[in-house]
Amino acid sequence: RVRNIVGNDALIRLARRAGMRSFQPAASWGLSQITARDQAEWMYEIREQIPERHRKYAMRLLTRIVPRQSWGIAPKTPSGWEIHFKGGWAPSGNPGWTVNQVAQLRREDERFSIAVLTRGGPSYGYGRETIRSVAKRLLMHFERFEP
């Protein structure tokens, strides 16, 4: 709906201002072209991208995902860290599904972000499991090396 109101050019300009180099909108928001690097860098800086008057509300929304959508990276969050995350999925035509998730993990003054993007998987469930497995591998050593 936002794309239909502001148009593709405005979305592209906004993405460039946010540091995204590869964003290309699509008719279905979930099929917009992005890269894991752009998404991880954007999520790392997300607080700075949101107007201050909306920041607290927006960040709270990114921590209160309904349980049926709290899969992938979220269950693998290392203890002591707060997660802000967003996922997206849609049938992507030939072949299969696009299933993505991006997250920022924050603890006191520390933060890091990750993005896992899948495309062309045989099902939504396959994409979810792929993201869950990648997140597990990315974060499994993280807790082991905690000070």
Side-chain angles (χ1 to χ4, degrees):
R1 185 172 199 180
V2 170
R3 183 190 54 84
N4 292 341
I5 294 168
V6 303
N8 287 338
D9 290 341
L11 287 180
I12 292 169
R13 284 192 304 274
L14 176 62
R16 297 300 182 267
R17 278 199 312 266
M20 294 183 187
R21 295 174 282 252
S22 302
F23 174 80
Q24 289 296 319
S28 170
W29 181 254
L31 298 178
S32 295
Q33 297 297 304
I34 57 175
T35 64
R37 179 182 180 155
D38 278 356
Q39 286 293 285
E41 288 177 357
W42 171 75
M43 188 56 109
Y44 184 81
E45 299 289 343
I46 191 168
R47 292 176 59 82
E48 293 78 13
Q49 300 294 334
I50 301 169
E52 190 172 349
R53 69 182 185 274
H54 301 298
R55 193 171 294 152
K56 188 175 181 180
Y57 174 70
M59 296 305 287
R60 189 172 62 243
L61 285 177
L62 293 171
T63 62
R64 295 199 167 106
I65 308 299
V66 296
R68 73 178 185 279
Q69 294 178 6
S70 187
W71 45 264
I73 299 169
K76 304 303 175 197
T77 302
S79 60
W81 291 81
E82 180 178 44
I83 187 170
H84 301 88
F85 74 104
K86 182 71 177 109
W89 54 90
S92 54
N94 257 340
W97 280 74
T98 294
V99 183
N100 302 328
Q101 205 169 72
V102 59
Q104 180 195 88
L105 289 92
R106 184 179 283 273
R107 178 180 68 184
E108 298 173 15
D109 292 335
E110 298 177 275
R111 66 182 165 174
F112 69 95
S113 62
I114 60 176
V116 183
L117 312 180
T118 72
R119 186 173 180 178
S123 68
Y124 166 66
Y126 183 87
R128 282 180 50 164
E129 287 303 314
T130 299
I131 291 171
R132 181 178 290 127
S133 295
V134 170
K136 182 178 180 180
R137 287 179 155 255
L138 286 172
L139 299 174
M140 67 190 271
H141 297 293
F142 193 83
E143 287 193 60
R144 185 180 310 161
F145 296 113
E146 286 288 314

